[in-house]
Amino acid sequence: GVGLLTDTFIRYRNMIKQERVCDLLEELKKDVESMDPHEFDQEYLRSEEFSDILESILWRVVNTASEEKVHRFKMILLNEINHIYESDFKETFLDIAFRINDDQILILNHFREVKGPEPENNPERGVIDGRDARDEGARASLNRERDLLGFNESKYLFYVQDLVSKSLLFDEYVGAFGGAKPYTNLGITPFGEEFLRFIEGSPDQG
């Protein structure tokens, strides 16, 4: 009856979750064994903070069938073992890493790459430097409208709208470019840049 079906489903789900955790830990063990143990902060690895992030990552791993996301979480864990990333947004970043895919990370990376240098603080030119930098970013973003980074239009728009909703990208068209179409003048936010540094394990935390 229903009880038997429920028991079977629960046993199956538990088996799947156990396999996912075992697979991740086995891969992690191989990677850790190839690293220099003297570089690890042993005190941190025994800390409650590391236990918390490990538990958070394992919870997300058992709840996804996506190999790309499992790999992403494995790399985050390896980065955390090798270099502690100091941030108040770790849990938020883990949640975002669970909810977006590799295509969206590719889009984020694109906007980080096309972002120009920070405008110089030149009192003689006032805000002109900043406006020029924004205009350059706008042109780069508008150029992408023609090829959409290789995605079809509907998928691209869904991806960037989702990234804007998560505060990883911003859309500057409103009030700044008149009749420009939405999502044609995008840029990466400081929060988006920090998210990329977190999943990449960058020691440069800006």
Side-chain angles (χ1 to χ4, degrees), residues 22-113:
C22 289
D23 289 346
L24 173 68
L25 294 179
E26 187 62 32
E27 285 190 33
L28 190 67
K29 179 183 176 184
K30 292 177 183 177
D31 289 322
V32 169
E33 287 175 347
S34 67
M35 300 163 67
D36 184 357
H38 296 96
E39 296 181 359
F40 303 158
D41 185 337
Q42 299 293 338
E43 184 176 348
Y44 173 66
L45 295 180
R46 291 191 293 268
S47 70
E48 185 176 344
E49 181 183 356
F50 180 74
S51 295
D52 287 344
I53 193 170
L54 175 61
E55 183 178 353
S56 290
I57 288 174
L58 292 179
W59 181 88
R60 289 169 172 87
V61 166
V62 300
N63 284 287
T64 182
S66 167
E67 291 185 7
E68 71 180 42
K69 291 181 180 179
V70 171
H71 177 74
R72 186 182 308 154
F73 284 120
K74 185 191 78 168
M75 296 309 299
I76 291 172
L77 196 50
L78 280 172
N79 293 334
E80 191 71 11
I81 290 172
N82 196 45
H83 177 83
I84 304 168
Y85 195 95
E86 301 291 346
S87 174
D88 294 330
F89 300 112
K90 279 186 181 180
E91 195 64 32
T92 303
F93 288 152
L94 289 175
D95 192 47
I96 292 173
F98 181 75
R99 296 182 184 280
I100 69 175
N101 62 27
D102 279 358
D103 288 341
Q104 289 173 290
I105 291 176
L106 182 151
I107 291 172
L108 270 183
N109 272 308
H110 161 74
F111 284 106
R112 179 173 60 177
E113 290 169 5

